[in-house]
Amino acid sequence: ESADGLPSHDQFTQELRLESQTGGKFEWQTGLYYFNEDIVIDSFNYDTFTTLQNGYAKQTQSNDAWAVYASGDYSFTDAFSMRAGLRYTKDEKDFTAERTDSPFCPPGACDAYPDPESTSASHTSWDISGIYAVNEDFNLYARIAEGFRAPALQGRLLFGDTISVADKETTTSYEIGMKSELFDNRVRLGFNLYYFETQDQQLTAVGGGTNFNTLINANEVVGKGFELDLQAYLTENLLLTLGASYNDTEINDSGLKVQPCGGGCTVLDPVAGPGLVYIDGNPLPNAPKNIYNLTLRYGIPVGEGEFFAYTDWSYRSDVNFFLYDSVEFRGSSLLEGGLRVGYNWNNGNYEVAAFGRNITDELAIIGCIDFNNLTGMSNEPRVFGVEFK
């Protein structure tokens, strides 16, 4: 059994911004940003049978970051405008870690004091976008942007002896879509297509035979898909919302390898050496390809309040929980539904309702631990209840 503590955490942030408000064709803004953080993390381990503490590690990190940015928006016509921006960011981190008690050795026999690690990175990110109003109810838009994530450090040493460092990552993303309001604003519809490429994506290799988190960089991760968002009053009293997305992600790094499970799972990836497998071609963890959400709400005035009936449904396709691919550590597709029927009054300040969650009693794995056994966490079971608020 393990736990973490947060004995000290201080943050300071400040932003100064100057922007135009001329009401003309060209508007702009520029600014400065500063961030400082100091954090201390304690990691504990406890003996399974006596509950006595038998492991302790401590990590400290300081982070300084600042940025300067500017952006402008120009209206070429009443229907077409473009926006562009630049941002320069500088980020520095200092990290130390030590273990003064190990769960695998007598006190003092396996202490660890790895050398401190520091990172420093800077990057100029940018974006450019355009909006075209076909009419007052229908807009088309497109956007290209580059973002960046500063380097990261990891060194919770209860089960390892080293500090891992992930270099900075950069992402270039492309998006094109539409937004509309139809049928006298009774329907709102949004749809987009997207594609992104992330260079040196930071990933966390979790667990395995040593139960240790290690930061790694993948040469490239690509993703593509679409998103749909719909809100519609089907009648004066019946509201429908629908969300749908398709998300296809892939890790492209022929030499990237990680440690698979430590509890005897059936690994499907190619072997890369003793206790290691290649993960090239795998999807990102916890990234189902298909996600759908649907709600329906019917409400009608009764007396001094409103009677309502509401149902919500969510679906996700199967999902891989770790960077490597295995038979056991996958979650099958999951469809869950809820139902709520009730009455509210006094402008919604009071409500009484009967409800049901996971009303079809679906069962699926939603998370896993892959240390020295096959451990899965399931979704909540079917629940019925009543509520007054």
Side-chain angles (χ1 to χ4, degrees):
E1 293 84 5
S2 59
D4 286 322
L6 198 69
S8 176
H9 188 193
D10 299 294
Q11 285 185 346
F12 175 81
T13 183
Q14 179 67 55
E15 184 170 3
L16 302 173
R17 187 175 65 201
L18 181 67
E19 63 180 63
S20 65
Q21 293 183 345
T22 65
K25 288 182 175 293
F26 179 68
E27 298 285 1
W28 55 266
Q29 66 171 307
T30 184
L32 300 169
Y33 174 79
Y34 176 73
F35 172 81
N36 172 266
E37 178 184 55
D38 291 290
I39 187 170
V40 178
I41 298 174
D42 289 330
S43 295
F44 303 94
N45 196 80
Y46 299 92
D47 181 83
T48 301
F49 300 106
T50 68
T51 71
L52 296 176
Q53 181 182 319
N54 67 352
Y56 174 74
K58 177 182 178 181
Q59 305 86 43
T60 63
Q61 177 174 282
S62 62
N63 184 194
D64 275 294
W66 61 270
V68 57
Y69 60 88
S71 66
D73 193 322
Y74 187 80
S75 299
F76 292 90
T77 68
D78 290 340
F80 178 64
S81 64
M82 292 191 69
R83 183 179 183 89
L86 285 172
R87 177 188 177 103
Y88 175 82
T89 304
K90 177 74 171 182
D91 183 278
E92 296 178 329
K93 295 184 177 76
D94 294 305
F95 186 94
T96 62
E98 61 181 27
R99 183 182 65 240
T100 55
D101 192 6
S102 171
F104 305 116
C105 301
C110 292
D111 295 349
Y113 302 91
D115 293 335
E117 293 282 356
S118 297
T119 63
S120 179
S122 60
H123 190 78
T124 300
S125 52
W126 53 269
D127 79 309
I128 183 169
S129 61
I131 299 177
Y132 178 70
V134 179
N135 54 50
E136 62 180 8
D137 298 322
F138 190 90
N139 285 348
L140 298 173
Y141 70 91
R143 182 172 186 257
I144 304 174
E146 184 187 82
F148 124 97
R149 177 184 288 178
L153 301 106
Q154 170 68 264
R156 299 191 179 186
L157 302 180
L158 273 181
F159 306 110
D161 299 322
T162 60
I163 298 173
S164 60
V165 181
D167 294 331
K168 75 173 186 179
E169 69 176 38
T170 57
T171 297
T172 305
S173 62
Y174 308 82
E175 182 178 353
I176 184 170
M178 53 80 68
K179 293 184 179 181
S180 63
E181 294 183 342
L182 309 170
F183 307 109
D184 295 326
N185 295 332
R186 295 175 65 89
V187 176
R188 290 182 177 178
L189 176 64
F191 179 81
N192 72 63
L193 300 169
Y194 74 86
Y195 175 82
F196 70 82
E197 294 180 356
T198 300
Q199 305 299 319
D200 299 317
Q201 173 148 358
Q202 299 174 10
L203 300 170
T204 304
V206 181
T210 59
N211 197 29
F212 187 63
N213 291 357
T214 303
L215 294 175
I216 57 176
N217 289 96
N219 284 344
E220 181 186 65
V221 173
V222 297
K224 58 182 180 292
F226 71 81
E227 297 171 321
L228 171 72
D229 181 35
L230 172 68
Q231 302 173 41
Y233 273 98
L234 303 181
T235 70
E236 182 179 353
N237 304 105
L238 182 61
L239 174 64
L240 164 75
T241 72
L242 172 66
S245 70
Y246 173 78
N247 313 277
D248 183 17
T249 63
E250 183 176 351
I251 299 170
N252 293 327
D253 189 333
S254 59
L256 190 60
K257 47 196 174 185
V258 300
Q259 184 182 95
C261 65
C265 68
T266 309
V267 181
L268 303 177
D269 294 312
V271 175
L276 295 171
V277 295
Y278 291 111
I279 61 172
D280 180 46
N282 288 354
L284 289 174
N286 295 295
K289 282 191 175 182
N290 298 287
I291 302 173
Y292 303 103
N293 294 280
L294 171 73
T295 73
L296 278 171
R297 188 185 190 279
Y298 179 79
I300 186 171
V302 175
E304 298 297 321
E306 177 199 42
F307 168 81
F308 67 89
Y310 174 84
T311 184
D312 64 295
W313 294 84
S314 65
Y315 170 84
R316 68 118 211 262
S317 57
D318 64 320
V319 61
N320 188 32
F321 293 117
F322 298 109
L323 291 171
Y324 61 87
D325 189 13
S326 68
V327 173
E328 292 82 1
F329 291 120
R330 295 189 63 86
S332 59
S333 59
L334 176 61
L335 174 67
E336 287 188 306
L339 181 64
R340 187 179 185 88
V341 180
Y343 181 76
N344 64 63
W345 66 98
N346 192 22
N347 296 317
N349 288 322
Y350 296 90
E351 179 181 296
V352 60
F355 67 87
R357 303 304 306 161
N358 190 13
I359 56 178
T360 57
D361 205 21
E362 297 293 317
L363 178 64
I365 299 301
I366 60 173
C368 296
I369 300 173
D370 71 340
F371 175 28
N372 59 2
N373 46 34
L374 302 178
T375 302
M377 287 77 78
S378 67
N379 61 324
E380 294 289 335
R382 178 166 53 195
V383 175
F384 294 106
V386 294
E387 183 180 63
F388 169 78
K389 61 179 181 180

